[in-house]
Amino acid sequence: MLTLSFSVYAERKRSYKAKSLFKATHYCPSTGRSKGSCPGYIIDHVIPLACGGADSPSNMQWQTKQEAKAKDKWERRGC
């Protein structure tokens, strides 16, 4: 029997439109483009969704993958 545990930090459904709007106004730091992949970077929510942050472009930022790993550590501790 496989048992799955769900964390309080489970991702909420994210808005594709919000992410697209963010990319349209905040070009990728590594490519300078508003479309396509952004090698080495992710789009991060400044205030995590799990902590009540909005899923909107005003709460998004480009973040290096290394910075994201560090931030994930304290985000998992709770809000």
Side-chain angles (χ1 to χ4, degrees):
M1 174 188 246
L2 177 65
T3 304
L4 299 175
S5 64
F6 293 92
S7 167
V8 293
Y9 306 107
E11 292 183 19
R12 291 190 286 174
K13 186 173 182 180
R14 295 186 176 177
S15 169
Y16 177 78
K17 183 177 179 181
K19 186 176 177 181
S20 294
L21 288 171
F22 173 82
K23 288 175 81 173
T25 57
H26 299 81
Y27 296 164
C28 169
S30 63
T31 66
R33 297 180 181 175
S34 63
K35 294 183 181 181
S37 66
C38 187
Y41 288 84
I42 63 160
I43 295 176
D44 173 66
H45 289 86
V46 177
I47 300 171
L49 297 176
C51 297
D55 191 19
S56 66
S58 63
N59 188 40
M60 295 177 181
Q61 65 182 351
W62 285 111
Q63 188 176 55
T64 66
K65 291 182 179 182
Q66 184 177 9
E67 291 170 334
K69 286 180 184 180
K71 185 178 176 196
D72 285 347
K73 288 180 182 179
W74 70 260
E75 282 181 342
R76 290 186 181 123
R77 291 185 202 150
C79 306

